[in-house]
Amino acid sequence: MKKDLISMEDLSVDEIKEYLALAHRVEATPEERRVKLLPGKIMAAMFFEPSTRTRLSFESAMHRLGGSVIGFAEQSATSVSKGESFVDTIHTVENYCDIMVIRHPGEGTARLAAKTSVLPVINAGDGSNQHPTQTLLDLYTIEKDLGNISDISIAFIGDLKYSRTVHSLIRALIKFNVRNYYLVAPESLRLPKYFMMSDEPDKFNFYETNVLEEVIPKCDVLYMTRIQRERFPDLLEYEKVKDSYRLTAAMLEDAQPHMRVLHPLPRVNEIAYDVDKTKFAGYFPQARNGVIMRQAILLKHLGVEL
Ligand code: NCD
């Protein structure tokens, strides 16, 4: 049966651990062996929304495994701009490839594509809903940098309403029994309650605040996000909150020595460049981990053992 990757909600902790273990094996495998794993396989990168890291790291991952890539980087370059439906596009592209990686502004579109197609579908971000491949690489980064996932305390900063990276990651961390969450956001961009839900609500602590300085000494991971301009129905509202938080090196003085600043990137103003030189900056290695995790994802969903 084909295997899709649509939402972190669909995965058990054991399944998530399988991706992490596979990523470790990918990282330990010599280049000459890796490049022979997916010969003749074609990945379609179907990006209806802008992307740098997700698209290029998926493409790089496919090339590094010896496969090849077709695709598009914007909707205007496809027949959707002539009026073709999303479903017809899926039915067409599935004839040309072995696996589809899809990013789309509409929530639920990846699920629709998976139901439509006979091929494995990987969700590369559906609106402000989910971004499971980012979450898997975030978990891989946390595990590598901090040695474990379950015992961390994590702070999420910025646009907690629209950031799919936050939504996906919190759902996964709840499965790992991570207890303490510091949620730092302006009033209008707070985390929707739905993402805090669990069968055992007493087990988890969600501290909401709008003061970034308050949480810096308390957390092991500071997960920064961009205010998601493109998701605001009213740009005047965006203007009001766009510069709510800006992390600087000076603010990190009270951070625990092992603390990591992560960010799915792109950053706009929320992390000052002087943070890059500190020992806390983990966001560029995080992006590098994306290529490793996405190789693991391609192997797993194309049914190739490593
Ligand atoms: C994120 C996304 O697209 O959701 N970027 C990414 O995939 N690395 C975050 C963002 O755009 O702010």
Side-chain angles (χ1 to χ4, degrees):
M1 214 182 77
K2 68 143 178 168
K3 188 169 168 57
D4 306 302
L5 177 56
I6 306 302
S7 164
M8 294 313 291
E9 303 284 2
D10 303 335
L11 300 177
S12 67
V13 174
D14 284 345
E15 284 172 310
I16 297 171
K17 285 182 179 165
E18 276 175 33
Y19 286 97
L20 298 173
L22 183 52
H24 281 290
R25 293 205 293 283
V26 166
E27 200 165 3
T29 303
E31 193 90 42
E32 318 81 75
R33 187 162 163 237
R34 252 196 269 170
V35 81
K36 295 191 186 116
L37 290 169
L38 293 180
K41 294 289 180 197
I42 299 176
M43 178 190 94
M46 304 168 69
F47 280 68
F48 295 86
E49 258 195 350
S51 171
T52 298
R53 272 148 293 269
T54 307
R55 186 170 65 84
L56 295 182
S57 66
F58 257 118
E59 295 196 0
S60 171
M62 194 61 183
H63 287 301
R64 285 185 190 283
L65 294 168
S68 52
V69 177
I70 59 170
F72 51 85
E74 51 187 328
Q75 177 161 312
S76 61
T78 73
S79 288
V80 172
S81 66
K82 299 181 187 168
E84 186 167 47
S85 72
F86 179 71
V87 166
D88 281 1
T89 307
I90 299 296
H91 276 315
T92 304
V93 177
E94 70 181 347
N95 297 306
Y96 308 150
C97 61
D98 301 290
I99 188 164
M100 289 193 261
V101 176
I102 302 178
R103 168 171 288 189
H104 195 285
E107 288 159 27
T109 39
R111 181 90 61 202
L112 172 62
K115 290 213 168 99
T116 303
S117 179
V118 293
L119 293 184
V121 171
I122 308 296
N123 182 7
D126 62 325
S128 49
N129 182 34
Q130 284 271 322
H131 195 348
T133 71
Q134 178 71 43
T135 295
L136 290 170
L137 79 88
D138 291 344
L139 294 171
Y140 186 61
T141 304
I142 292 170
E143 191 187 58
K144 265 171 65 173
D145 287 1
L146 298 170
N148 91 95
I149 296 168
S150 298
D151 294 337
I152 64 162
S153 293
I154 184 165
F156 288 96
I157 323 297
D159 187 343
L160 309 190
K161 180 176 182 187
Y162 294 118
S163 288
R164 54 193 172 201
T165 58
V166 173
H167 301 162
S168 265
L169 183 53
I170 288 187
R171 297 314 293 164
L173 293 174
I174 287 177
K175 290 178 192 238
F176 275 84
N177 284 322
V178 168
R179 283 170 185 270
N180 295 321
Y181 302 83
Y182 302 98
L183 306 175
V184 185
E187 205 72 45
S188 61
L189 295 179
R190 291 216 160 157
L191 183 71
K193 288 278 178 271
Y194 163 78
F195 294 106
M196 301 181 205
M197 271 163 42
S198 81
D199 295 340
E200 299 166 280
D202 295 344
K203 211 158 139 185
F204 304 102
N205 306 309
F206 291 95
Y207 304 99
E208 296 192 280
T209 171
N210 43 28
V211 186
L212 171 55
E213 286 81 352
E214 225 178 80
V215 307
I216 291 174
K218 297 182 185 153
C219 62
D220 304 299
V221 175
L222 197 62
Y223 195 96
M224 302 292 298
T225 63
R226 173 180 70 90
I227 309 291
Q228 309 273 299
R229 181 178 188 273
E230 67 278 24
R231 310 263 181 245
F232 281 68
D234 178 355
L235 280 184
L236 285 176
E237 289 304 311
Y238 167 74
E239 290 296 326
K240 284 187 206 157
V241 291
K242 68 176 184 188
D243 292 319
S244 297
Y245 301 103
R246 181 171 167 81
L247 183 70
T248 62
M251 290 162 76
L252 290 165
E253 245 168 41
D254 294 335
Q256 302 181 67
H258 63 268
M259 196 273 269
R260 276 289 176 283
V261 179
L262 300 183
H263 191 314
L265 302 176
R267 72 173 140 186
V268 185
N269 289 319
E270 60 278 1
I271 302 181
Y273 287 108
D274 66 1
V275 177
D276 297 2
K277 291 187 234 70
T278 69
K279 64 178 177 192
F280 305 106
Y283 29 95
F284 288 115
Q286 182 185 3
R288 189 160 56 238
N289 288 335
V291 188
I292 297 161
M293 179 49 82
R294 287 175 174 129
Q295 288 176 72
I297 291 168
L298 289 168
L299 290 172
K300 194 173 183 70
H301 289 264
L302 285 167
V304 174
E305 299 281 331
L306 180 68

